[in-house]
Amino acid sequence: MITRNALPLALRWRALRPIPKVAAAFPRPRPYIVTANRRQDVFHSQLEDPSSATILSSLKTSPQVPQTLTEKIVQRYSVGLPKDKFVRSGDYVTLAPHKCMTHDNSWPVALKFMKLGATEIKDPDQIVMTLDHDVQNKSESNLKKYRQIEEFAKKNKVDFYGAGRGIGHQIMIEEGYAWPSTLAVASDSHSNMYGGIGCVGTPVVRTDAASIWSTGRTWWQIPPIARVELKNTLPKGVTGKDVIISLAGLFNDDEVLNHAIEFTGTEETMRSLPVDDRLAIANMTTEWGALSGLFPIDSVLHGWLRSKATMASLYKASELVDNSTHRRFNHAKIDKLYEDRLTADKGAKYAKTLFLDLATLSPYVSGPNSVKVATPLKELEAQDIKIDKAYLVSCTNSRASDLAAAAKVFKDAAKENGGIVPRIPTSVSFYIAAASLPEQQAAEEQGDWQALLDAGAHPLPAGCGPCIGLGTGLLEPGEVGISASNRNFKGRMGSTEAKAYLASPEVVAASALSGKINGPGWYEKPEGVTGVLRGEGDGIPEESRMISVEEALEKIIGQADEMVEEAEQGGLAAQHQKEDQSLTEDQSLTEEQSLTEILPGFPEKVEGEIIFCDADNINTDGIYPGKYTYQDDVTVDKMAEVCMSNFDPSFASMARQGDILVSGFNFGCGSSREQAATAILAKKIPIVVAGSFGNIFSRNSINNALMGVEVPRLVQRLREVFSHSTSSMVKDGAVTEPENNRQSLDSPPPAPLNVPQEGKTLTRRTGWRFLWDVRRSKVEVQEGEGGPKWSQKVGELPPNVQEIIARGGLESWVKSQIVGSKS
């Protein structure tokens, strides 16, 4: 029988489990399409020199297999691949990114860099530094930090953009650093935005950035890849911002959490989405929960690139255009890009497919205080919701086209006001900041910037500002704000006692003008539309499906792959049907699998008693309190004492050295503080087991030598036995921006804490034993003395990750590389 071990998904070692379903209210024309993962064998560096394993990418592979667009781009930027290796979702790879951007957090990264013993940046052309988050802050401490960053950049001959020049992500786009068919990373969660121009953009944490500065490389695990098929075209008055607000609010059950997204559609559909709309959509795939959001490299992008190349050539001497821009944007480079244009292969495998019919959308508003709540504008207009502040800021929607849409609201109103632009009510403050100086200049040339000023808008410097909760115009307690930015959870834009909504630039402008949530009246509803059509699959009913011979062959091959995968799983479904009768045998496993190579210094087995923290979405503030995050003198003993204290103060007295910490789903969501991992290690807990992990926590865990494995079945069994409820969960309040989180600057949105409605015990000693057999890629669970015993296959822990953990984390690994390069 052909066998393939399931590889880990989304940066951790995932046990086989059912694919989650979209909410029952969605149409269900087809089931999810599930990707079969390939087994990992040995690393290239070990084939050449077993004594010097580096963070290299995964496995040998067989002959060429169809790849998604994401996989093809990752293939180009993976180093050390064995000959004829084609990367797939689930593979661990060593990346040499095309570009790496850091912003206000460049100095903390520089401190890590110097702490590692590095003296020079490996490849200065790979690095971009911008100052964009706290540009309104004129305090001496902030100005000192900005000077340190600028001096460091100049010393290392790194491209640098100072405060007020623009938001880093916008600079990456408009200056050509993020380029189609490349892979770029940034120490900020909105690097997803680069996908709007066909560049895989994904976030990294500061330790990763320091690794890239030092070695030119970091590690990555290719996430599961979801295809989102956009159908038809948007009605008049509906924008790209409405698309992503509706996607995040209507597919709000973590369908794409920690996935890479590829947006697809017919040529007609894609031609209807200009690049600025694509950038807004890709930008907010972060809020939707994804690690990247990629649009195709098509004719729309081609036209945009040509325009940028022409402009760069004409204005290369302008003060507002960097004098090297024309080297990154030029027609010869574009010719080469489209001569070898990358597209997804026919037959490429996706973890799931969703569809959204654009023709059925209307203007949508997100919130209050959650991107998972999306409401048609018409419904909110009827509620007469008064606002206090409005914002047209951020890298999401503050380009010239967005400023033009907002200005049109006031220009149209001026036509009915004797040609005079009407003023915003005195009860409303409207703040505007362009995404960059060139975008502001374009708006000024069109008269749009002045129209907004004439209406009473307050201009701010090009930068993040209120979007990140810094500077002028923050929401005060009891206030209501509406913004064209990307996040609206509590406290993000000011007070936790305020309400924040998100909408398109024109809805924000119309709301500012009317003093309440309102639209400009541009929407034209198509005939016959009664609701938003969306769901699983591609949205084509089977009875209406017509396929070509080529497509039929692909379908047959896909069905054959599914049959092989079912055989490999060894009757997993039958096993679950028998679980109620006996958990002593696991029918899905076989001991005939090949063994994982264990590197010197890495344990073959990890075992201990399970201590169960029964909740989903425990964020990093719950694991390690924010008030300690920015204290540099916290001892290891103190870290151990406060570990998990914001979740359950009794944890410190209950947990023991060597315990196995088990928790629910999305463990470690929220801010990117690395102490969430190191505090658990300080408690002398060697491994965390969860239903699933937050992505950045997973990176921080491996980077800091904390092991983790996903076993959803274990969480289910613990809840069945101890909570007496597996589905009744209650949210503990709304999502709130953790204290001081603005200073981390690179944090994804957290999720509401879910705790069991029955069984109020947050932490309990279970008496159960857990063993992870790393060599056999298997976990074993003994459910108490004399209780059932069962085992389950988990993904392989590959040698490159083993070495990082064995060396004590990524920083130690980087140090070894620096020492090795000098010897």
Side-chain angles (χ1 to χ4, degrees), residues 5 13 62 68 120 127 153 176 179 192 218 267 315 330 340 353 357 379 404 413 424 473 476 531 563 653 669 791 806:
N5 289 341
W13 307 284
S62 49
T68 65
E120 60 182 20
I127 311 303
W179 186 257
N192 293 30
T218 190
E267 183 178 355
Y315 298 102
N330 60 75
D340 188 26
T353 299
D357 188 339
E379 293 183 20
I424 296 164
E476 300 294 336
M563 292 173 65
S653 60
C669 59
S791 60

Side-chain angles (χ1 to χ4, degrees), residues 151-263:
E151 290 167 2
F152 183 87
K154 289 181 177 178
K155 176 183 176 182
N156 287 277
K157 299 179 181 179
V158 167
D159 285 0
F160 170 81
Y161 295 83
R165 169 58 177 79
I167 301 172
H169 299 305
Q170 177 64 27
I171 289 171
M172 290 287 285
I173 296 292
E174 70 186 25
E175 292 294 340
Y177 294 110
W179 186 257
S181 79
T182 70
L183 186 147
V185 301
S187 57
D188 186 281
S189 58
H190 286 105
S191 47
N192 293 30
M193 184 171 117
Y194 313 152
I197 59 165
C199 167
V200 173
T202 195
V204 294
V205 296
R206 297 174 188 181
T207 300
D208 295 311
S211 174
I212 294 169
W213 288 11
S214 305
T215 69
R217 303 177 180 182
T218 190
W219 65 274
W220 200 47
Q221 188 187 19
I222 306 173
I225 302 169
R227 179 174 63 191
V228 176
E229 183 160 350
L230 304 176
K231 307 178 73 65
N232 299 314
T233 60
L234 292 171
K236 183 179 179 181
V238 184
T239 70
K241 186 59 166 278
D242 298 307
V243 173
I244 190 59
I245 286 177
S246 62
L247 283 170
L250 299 178
F251 291 99
N252 61 3
D253 196 26
D254 295 336
E255 287 87 351
V256 297
L257 180 65
N258 292 332
H259 282 62
I261 294 174
E262 292 186 13
F263 291 99

